[in-house]
Amino acid sequence: MNFQLTKEQEFVRKMVRSFAETECEPIAADIDKEHRFPVETVEKMARYGMLGIPFPKEYGGAGGDHISYAITVEELSRICASTGVICSAHTSLCCWPIFNYGTEEQKQKYLPDLLSGKKLGAFGLTEPGAGTDASGQQTKAVEDGDFYVLNGSKVFITNGGYADVFVVMAMTDKSQGTRGITAFIVEKGDEGFSIGKTEDKLGICASSTTELIFENCRIPKDRMLGGIGKGFKVAMSTLDGGRIGIASQALGIAQGAFDVTVDYMKARKQFGRSLSKFQALQFEMAEMKTRIEAARLLIYEAADRKDKHLPYSVNAAMAKLFAAETAMYVTTKCVQFHGGYGYTKDYPVERMMRDAKITEIYEGTSEVQKMVIAGSVFGK
Amino acid sequence: MKIIVCAKQVPDTNEIRINPETGTLIRDGVPSILNPDDANALEEALKLKDQYPDTHVTVVTMGPPQAQEMLFECLAMGADEGILLSDRAVGGSDTWATSNAISATIEKIGDYDLIFGGRQAIDGDTAQVGPQIAEKLGLPQVTYVMEFKIDENKKDITVKRQLEDGYEEIKIQTPCMLTCIKELNTPRYMSMAGIFNQDKKITVWNAADIQVDLTTVGLKASPTNVYRSFTPRPKGKGSMVAGDTEAEIATNLIVSLKKKHII
């Protein structure tokens, strides 16, 4: 067992921290307020290889590992959780299923542009009536010669308004239940495919969350991903990896709120001394730091298992459950420690608290994580 | 084109604290960074490499084995090769002895067109090593470079050299040595591909490798002696001498100076 980061992982942290503090920090509050997707930051992330970290160089990736990827999402989210999820959804939910389930032709066609960040990726599973119960897919794909014709809609799709490539689930045979679901690669501009409503959210306001609409959208058969009826497996295994990304986002939010609160507590004086001198508050900070570190270890272990091709779904579920709850716990306390200032937009902790909430919901709610974890204890 | 960049690993002065009793820097736990001006020097070399991909950039440094970390960072930014001169024999060198060691290292590398260095390091602030290297290698030099242009013949260079109240425009030819300031460019970040590049080439040389005259390097060969280092006492707040007329202000000033027995 080795708890030391490698030299490369240390440098990834150094690089992304410096990137986030220089590129993301000055605009984080503004893009949140304006609900503006930070196109310029995404371009820079692409230039520095941050959108293709855990993939081999032969497809245009950086040749890195999943712990480095987790560190990247964590460090971005420490400053701006919206930027963190752009990276996470692109990498885990679009690049990974194509890399893992794609044919060689599909990989050659899509990965170089995705991993270099020339194109952005998204993932479409959730529907108005199929959230936690993802098996209730209503979007249909009907065979027609060399094509499948898609009809239906997807909701809450991260990166929706700015993505070029989408991995989308649709029902090809309803009688087969989850074995009747198939994954397809949909491209922006495909006839019959359009972007619907953009959600107005509580947090991660600078990320793009939209509806996807399919009206007789004809997708060539060679864009089926992972084989007919394999869509549920593609989706579930993709979400296992996605949870490492979202857990890292939650961890970054918690760490970011913690760090600014430490600084605030040293500077803020009440009753003639700094907040940092009050033992009751110190103990609360000790509790927070312990939870943050515990979340970090769960995440890095899940990522390490993924790199070593060991089973990691339960680890990823525990990491996401614990990191998301830690993010809510820490940010709520951090707002409290800032007092009235913490409730204003002059300090970043209120944004962090709003951003934290989604990590308990998307890519599997905390309740879904508990189902996965309990399933490993008692059997499904 | 073959470019050499001289760089130094320095303590991050943003993080530095002074021991109030001894007046010396507390270096324990202080992170080391690539000296900021040297990052500008490297960036200019990498820009040339972007423009002319056959350019080879070698970063040269002198220091303890840990300085390899800094070379790793330079390679992750895009340099091709890093050379660390590390030997107890060169430890404690002042600027004169350092420039002897570095110029011997550069002579050992041999083939180069251009040497970039930072103006000065944030730990010593002398700005001497760059010019001394140029002198010892017999190269023309321009310091405080704020703008750099090279002709397509890769030989004729035009630079702007910053002065306190303006700039000089200077034409110079390769081979030459230029010391860079932060106005020259904005250094890039490391790239992910750079960090995970497995072919990173870092070579560690000792004094014997560069065949330097051992009487010209190290603490004993250094003519500089540090007499004392101290933190200047912070001055108290100034006070404004007020009054309605000039004569009254002058009188008030005299009164306050007399009160303090200054006059």
Side-chain angles (χ1 to χ4, degrees), chain A residues 167-189:
Chain A
V167 172
V168 173
M169 307 305 141
M171 194 63 96
T172 40
D173 184 353
K174 197 158 184 151
S175 67
Q176 297 281 317
T178 54
R179 293 203 177 125
I181 297 171
T182 303
F184 295 92
I185 302 171
V186 176
E187 295 176 19
K188 180 172 134 184

Side-chain angles (χ1 to χ4, degrees), chain A residues 64-205:
Chain A
D65 56 280
H66 282 88
I67 294 181
S68 294
Y69 160 61
I71 291 171
T72 300
V73 176
E74 173 190 340
E75 288 296 331
L76 289 171
S77 306
R78 182 176 159 267
I79 302 294
C80 174
S82 292
T83 309
V85 76
I86 294 168
C87 175
S88 178
H90 166 86
T91 307
S92 284
L93 302 188
C94 184
C95 300
W96 187 81
I98 294 177
F99 171 70
N100 199 59
Y101 293 104
T103 61
E104 193 52 39
E105 289 73 29
Q106 287 171 334
K107 291 198 232 184
Q108 294 291 353
K109 182 175 174 192
Y110 292 103
L111 290 178
D113 282 353
L114 283 168
L115 303 185
S116 65
K118 209 166 143 191
K119 291 188 172 168
L120 195 64
F123 172 82
L125 171 68
T126 302
E127 297 185 358
T132 291
D133 180 12
S135 61
Q137 296 281 305
Q138 296 295 318
T139 299
K140 280 193 195 118
V142 177
E143 197 174 352
D144 179 18
D146 290 338
F147 294 85
Y148 273 90
V149 183
L150 271 64
N151 276 291
S153 68
K154 300 284 171 184
V155 288
F156 307 144
I157 306 308
T158 305
N159 291 347
Y162 292 84
D164 307 279
V165 178
F166 300 75
V167 172
V168 173
M169 307 305 141
M171 194 63 96
T172 40
D173 184 353
K174 197 158 184 151
S175 67
Q176 297 281 317
T178 54
R179 293 203 177 125
I181 297 171
T182 303
F184 295 92
I185 302 171
V186 176
E187 295 176 19
K188 180 172 134 184
D190 277 337
E191 209 182 318
F193 170 49
S194 59
I195 305 300
K197 178 187 164 206
T198 297
E199 300 296 341
D200 186 4
K201 311 185 292 292
L202 171 72
I204 53 164
C205 296

Side-chain angles (χ1 to χ4, degrees), chain A residues 61-379:
Chain A
D65 56 280
H66 282 88
I67 294 181
S68 294
Y69 160 61
I71 291 171
T72 300
V73 176
E74 173 190 340
E75 288 296 331
L76 289 171
S77 306
R78 182 176 159 267
I79 302 294
C80 174
S82 292
T83 309
V85 76
I86 294 168
C87 175
S88 178
H90 166 86
T91 307
S92 284
L93 302 188
C94 184
C95 300
W96 187 81
I98 294 177
F99 171 70
N100 199 59
Y101 293 104
T103 61
E104 193 52 39
E105 289 73 29
Q106 287 171 334
K107 291 198 232 184
Q108 294 291 353
K109 182 175 174 192
Y110 292 103
L111 290 178
D113 282 353
L114 283 168
L115 303 185
S116 65
K118 209 166 143 191
K119 291 188 172 168
L120 195 64
F123 172 82
L125 171 68
T126 302
E127 297 185 358
T132 291
D133 180 12
S135 61
Q137 296 281 305
Q138 296 295 318
T139 299
K140 280 193 195 118
V142 177
E143 197 174 352
D144 179 18
D146 290 338
F147 294 85
Y148 273 90
V149 183
L150 271 64
N151 276 291
S153 68
K154 300 284 171 184
V155 288
F156 307 144
I157 306 308
T158 305
N159 291 347
Y162 292 84
D164 307 279
V165 178
F166 300 75
V167 172
V168 173
M169 307 305 141
M171 194 63 96
T172 40
D173 184 353
K174 197 158 184 151
S175 67
Q176 297 281 317
T178 54
R179 293 203 177 125
I181 297 171
T182 303
F184 295 92
I185 302 171
V186 176
E187 295 176 19
K188 180 172 134 184
D190 277 337
E191 209 182 318
F193 170 49
S194 59
I195 305 300
K197 178 187 164 206
T198 297
E199 300 296 341
D200 186 4
K201 311 185 292 292
L202 171 72
I204 53 164
C205 296
S207 75
S208 164
T209 310
T210 70
E211 194 180 5
L212 309 181
I213 298 167
F214 303 92
E215 290 168 306
N216 294 322
C217 171
R218 293 171 72 80
I219 301 297
K221 274 188 173 165
D222 63 6
R223 287 211 238 137
M224 183 191 285
L225 185 64
I228 185 106
K230 297 281 193 271
F232 198 69
K233 189 181 148 208
V234 171
M236 291 303 116
S237 60
T238 297
L239 287 174
D240 282 341
R243 283 164 193 161
I244 294 174
I246 299 308
S248 306
Q249 183 200 24
L251 169 64
I253 296 169
Q255 185 69 59
F258 182 87
D259 290 347
V260 296
T261 303
V262 168
D263 289 344
Y264 182 81
M265 286 173 65
K266 286 180 185 165
R268 172 74 170 168
K269 285 200 168 81
Q270 291 287 276
F271 303 103
R273 50 189 184 146
S274 307
L275 295 191
S276 60
K277 302 281 188 214
F278 291 87
Q279 197 180 43
L281 303 186
Q282 285 181 356
F283 278 16
E284 295 263 28
M285 294 301 277
E287 175 76 33
M288 287 185 221
K289 187 173 168 60
T290 306
R291 293 191 192 202
I292 290 170
E293 273 314 315
R296 183 170 284 124
L297 289 174
L298 282 170
I299 294 166
Y300 292 179
E301 194 203 0
D304 189 46
R305 291 181 70 87
K306 186 166 167 65
D307 281 325
K308 290 179 174 147
H309 304 288
L310 296 168
Y312 70 93
S313 338
V314 179
N315 304 82
M318 292 191 293
K320 187 193 176 259
L321 171 68
F322 191 74
E325 292 192 343
T326 298
M328 268 321 280
Y329 176 85
V330 170
T331 54
T332 310
K333 294 242 181 230
C334 287
V335 168
Q336 188 69 22
F337 285 17
H338 277 70
Y341 294 109
Y343 199 66
T344 71
K345 292 195 193 300
D346 292 341
Y347 287 82
V349 286
E350 69 81 33
R351 167 170 52 89
M352 292 165 166
M353 183 176 156
R354 285 185 287 109
D355 289 348
K357 185 62 202 172
I358 190 61
T359 64
E360 292 184 323
I361 299 172
Y362 61 8
E363 299 196 31
T365 58
S366 288
E367 291 73 16
V368 164
Q369 309 313 323
K370 287 177 184 171
M371 283 160 62
V372 172
I373 299 160
S376 76
V377 178
F378 298 108

Side-chain angles (χ1 to χ4, degrees), chain B residues 120-159:
Chain B
Q120 63 190 37
I122 53 173
D123 56 351
D125 278 341
T126 67
Q128 292 169 359
V129 174
Q132 288 178 6
I133 291 170
E135 288 301 317
K136 283 165 189 170
L137 294 172
L139 293 175
Q141 59 170 297
V142 180
T143 51
Y144 307 103
V145 171
M146 60 184 287
E147 215 176 283
F148 172 92
K149 263 184 269 171
I150 190 162
D151 190 85
E152 277 179 12
N153 67 15
K154 299 183 194 171
K155 204 142 180 74
D156 296 312
I157 295 169
T158 311
V159 297

